[in-house]
Amino acid sequence: GDYLIDAAAKCLDVLEALAKDGFQPVDVPTVAKRCGHTPDFCRRALFTLKLRGWAVQTARGWQLSVKAGKFSSDYLAVLASL
C-alpha cells in the first residue's frame, strides 16, 4: 500500500525469520533464505535489531532476544486481563 515503509517491512521479515524452527540460533544465509532478502540486507538488519535489543548474536548464530520474549509475554498478559 501507499503507507508501507519497505525497510521496516523487510526488518520485520528478518525478525520473523528468527522465530521459525523453535527459535534455534541461525546464521545469516539461513535468515536470508527464510525471508527472501539478500544476505547483506539481513546482516545489516540483524545488527540493527541487535543494537535495538531485539536480537542477539551468539557463537551458534542469531536468535531473538529476551526483550522480544518479554514483549510477547507482556502483550499476552494484557490480552488476558481484558
Side-chain angles (χ1 to χ4, degrees):
D2 292 339
Y3 296 104
L4 179 70
I5 300 171
D6 190 53
K10 289 168 75 173
C11 280
L12 289 171
D13 291 341
V14 170
L15 191 69
E16 290 172 358
L18 294 178
K20 292 183 179 173
D21 294 333
F23 300 93
Q24 297 300 310
V26 291
D27 59 13
V28 172
T30 301
V31 172
K33 184 183 228 182
R34 287 179 180 178
C35 66
H37 303 306
T38 67
D40 181 60
F41 175 84
C42 291
R43 186 175 298 103
R44 291 181 289 124
L46 287 164
F47 275 103
T48 300
L49 291 167
K50 179 181 175 181
L51 289 171
R52 297 301 308 257
W54 291 93
V56 292
Q57 185 181 22
T58 68
R60 294 177 47 220
W62 289 91
Q63 59 192 125
L64 290 175
S65 70
V66 172
K67 178 180 182 174
K70 183 173 178 348
F71 183 85
S72 296
S73 177
D74 290 350
Y75 179 69
L76 291 173
V78 168
L79 288 180
S81 70
L82 298 178

